Amino acid sequence: MTQVRRTLISLVTASLVFSGMAQAAPTALISTEQAAAALQPAARSAAHARLQAALDRADLAAMLQSRGVSTDEMRARVDALTDAEAQQMLQQIDAAPAGGDVVGVLFTIFIILLVTDILGLTKVFPFTRSMR
């Protein structure tokens, strides 16, 4: 019985000594954005990389310079964007019309000139003149 008791006491003592050495893992609360960024780091880099690539265009850099904004300042602002803001900016850029309104305006002007030429108010198009 003493041998079993000694073994049991040694086991309990060793357990207490080693349990004092164990440390709890540091825990902290993280936000939803941090968790999402940890899950999708490629999406952040892709959105920001696409915006940074747009700043490399010479015509855009010239336009920014003419308005008093340096390219370095714009790069810093793009880097400061969150993932959601960068994605929203890309969506706005993709949704922006690329010259579609110019064609519509030109077509409208053509129709107005054609109608006024047919009515005899203007003489723009030779194919609308009558044979008199």
Side-chain angles (χ1 to χ4, degrees), residues 2-125:
T2 59
Q3 183 67 13
V4 172
R5 183 179 278 179
R6 239 183 232 166
T7 307
L8 188 58
I9 289 173
S10 297
L11 184 62
V12 169
T13 305
S15 296
L16 288 174
V17 168
F18 288 123
S19 69
M21 290 182 193
Q23 296 178 354
T27 58
L29 295 176
I30 62 171
S31 67
T32 305
E33 290 84 13
Q34 290 171 331
L39 291 177
Q40 298 177 346
R44 176 178 170 82
S45 64
H48 284 83
R50 189 166 164 208
L51 290 173
Q52 292 289 356
L55 292 175
D56 291 337
R57 292 182 25 206
D59 59 337
L60 182 61
M63 185 185 69
L64 289 173
Q65 292 289 338
S66 69
R67 295 187 183 193
V69 180
S70 70
T71 311
D72 295 332
E73 183 180 344
M74 281 305 298
R75 288 186 192 286
R77 288 183 181 188
V78 167
D79 287 337
L81 292 175
T82 63
D83 295 335
E85 292 169 339
Q87 290 293 338
Q88 181 181 11
M89 185 173 281
L90 285 176
Q91 289 173 353
Q92 288 176 352
I93 290 171
D94 290 339
D101 293 335
V102 174
V103 174
V105 169
L106 291 176
F107 183 72
T108 304
I109 291 172
F110 172 75
I111 295 297
I112 290 172
L113 288 175
L114 182 67
V115 169
T116 56
D117 209 24
I118 290 173
L119 293 176
L121 301 174
T122 60
K123 294 181 181 177
V124 178
F125 304 111

